[in-house]
Amino acid sequence: QVQLVQSGAEVKKPGASVKVSCQVSGYTLTELSMNWVRQAPGKGLEWMGGVDPEDGETFYAEKFQGRVTMIEDTSTDTAYMELSNLRSEDTAVYYCTTRGFYNCFDHWGQGTLVAVSS
Amino acid sequence: NFMLTQPHSVSESPGKTVIISCTRSSGSIASDNVQWYQQRPGSAPTNVIFEDFERPSGVPDRFSGSIDSSSNSASLSISGLRTEDEADYYCQSYDNNNPVFGGGTKLTV
């Protein structure tokens, strides 16, 4: 069974960057399509992007193009999502999640709260 | 690009049946699979329906999904409501292989 364990909460100032990690166990990262979804306080789910395990190609939602980077360390089965030039609107819980065989998000990390405040 | 529109909230009594709708703004609801997720307060979402009407193992058959081309919408039906079903529910589909989520529906039991 896939388990995803994310890094802890972060507090950042506007303009800074944040890097959230997602440790995979139960499978190797190369077998999974890792995606990132965020949820602002009291708001809905928002897909940010993902990685194609076939070739490592990344796909980012248009809204985050130029500010987000998703990378994978296959030696440690850890995925990372880095978001730069943070603003207050980026305050949210960030989830890593796997896009499974049936094209649904079938496993989720516990979430990482990123708070952006001056 | 399209949007998925859900009612903001629904409420029903224990033991009853509730239906949550998810309407696609453009393009056919049948052209891309619809998934449904349950999110209890303080927890990550979990998948309860995939590929329009399939249930992951462990999800009770009180949960069912369907699509209706005439209204261009998908629906999640929960029968025999229990207090533990109280949660936010999100539909999700794909736009050119990019995931799109509905705004979510708060279910009060």
Side-chain angles (χ1 to χ4, degrees):
Chain A
Q1 179 72 298
V2 175
Q3 287 197 313
L4 308 176
V5 178
Q6 298 184 221
S7 49
E10 304 257 16
V11 180
K12 296 291 183 181
K13 293 196 181 301
S17 297
V18 68
K19 193 172 185 178
V20 179
S21 69
C22 175
Q23 173 75 57
V24 175
S25 61
Y27 276 72
T28 64
L29 199 46
T30 54
E31 299 173 286
L32 303 170
S33 174
M34 189 63 71
N35 285 248
W36 293 84
V37 171
R38 78 176 187 179
Q39 185 172 36
K43 302 296 184 183
L45 304 173
E46 181 175 33
W47 178 74
M48 299 180 69
V51 181
D52 185 340
E54 297 285 323
D55 56 11
E57 185 175 359
T58 51
F59 299 89
Y60 302 139
E62 190 173 343
K63 175 177 179 176
F64 299 102
Q65 291 271 4
R67 280 209 304 144
V68 71
T69 305
M70 295 174 188
I71 59 174
E72 298 184 341
D73 183 344
T74 55
S75 67
T76 61
D77 286 320
T78 304
Y80 298 90
M81 185 284 299
E82 184 169 26
L83 188 62
S84 63
N85 194 19
L86 290 168
R87 30 219 194 221
S88 58
E89 312 88 88
D90 294 317
T91 293
V93 174
Y94 290 77
Y95 293 101
C96 58
T97 178
T98 56
R99 183 168 167 177
F101 180 78
Y102 296 106
N103 248 348
C104 68
F105 294 119
D106 49 7
H107 297 94
W108 295 71
Q110 83 275 22
T112 296
L113 174 63
V114 175
V116 183
S117 173
S118 55
Chain B
N1 292 2
F2 65 86
M3 294 173 52
L4 297 172
T5 300
Q6 301 180 232
H8 181 69
S9 63
V10 294
S11 178
E12 190 50 90
S13 303
K16 301 290 190 180
T17 297
V18 71
I19 297 175
I20 299 172
S21 63
C22 170
T23 302
R24 179 166 167 158
S25 61
S26 62
S28 171
I29 192 70
S31 61
D32 300 276
N33 288 335
V34 176
Q35 283 62 239
W36 290 90
Y37 301 89
Q38 177 192 67
Q39 186 179 32
R40 294 190 173 107
S43 296
T46 61
N47 177 238
V48 294
I49 294 289
F50 65 94
E51 291 190 336
D52 300 335
F53 55 81
E54 299 288 348
R55 271 188 315 276
S57 62
V59 174
D61 60 6
R62 300 186 298 104
F63 289 79
S64 62
S66 63
I67 61 169
D68 179 1
S69 295
S70 65
S71 60
N72 213 35
S73 65
S75 294
L76 172 69
S77 176
I78 310 172
S79 61
L81 277 170
R82 302 180 179 183
T83 55
E84 69 208 47
D85 298 329
E86 187 161 292
D88 294 327
Y89 291 86
Y90 294 91
C91 61
Q92 176 257 314
S93 189
Y94 290 94
D95 183 0
N96 288 327
N97 206 35
N98 287 337
V100 176
F101 286 97
T105 299
K106 180 177 180 58
L107 169 62
T108 301
V109 180

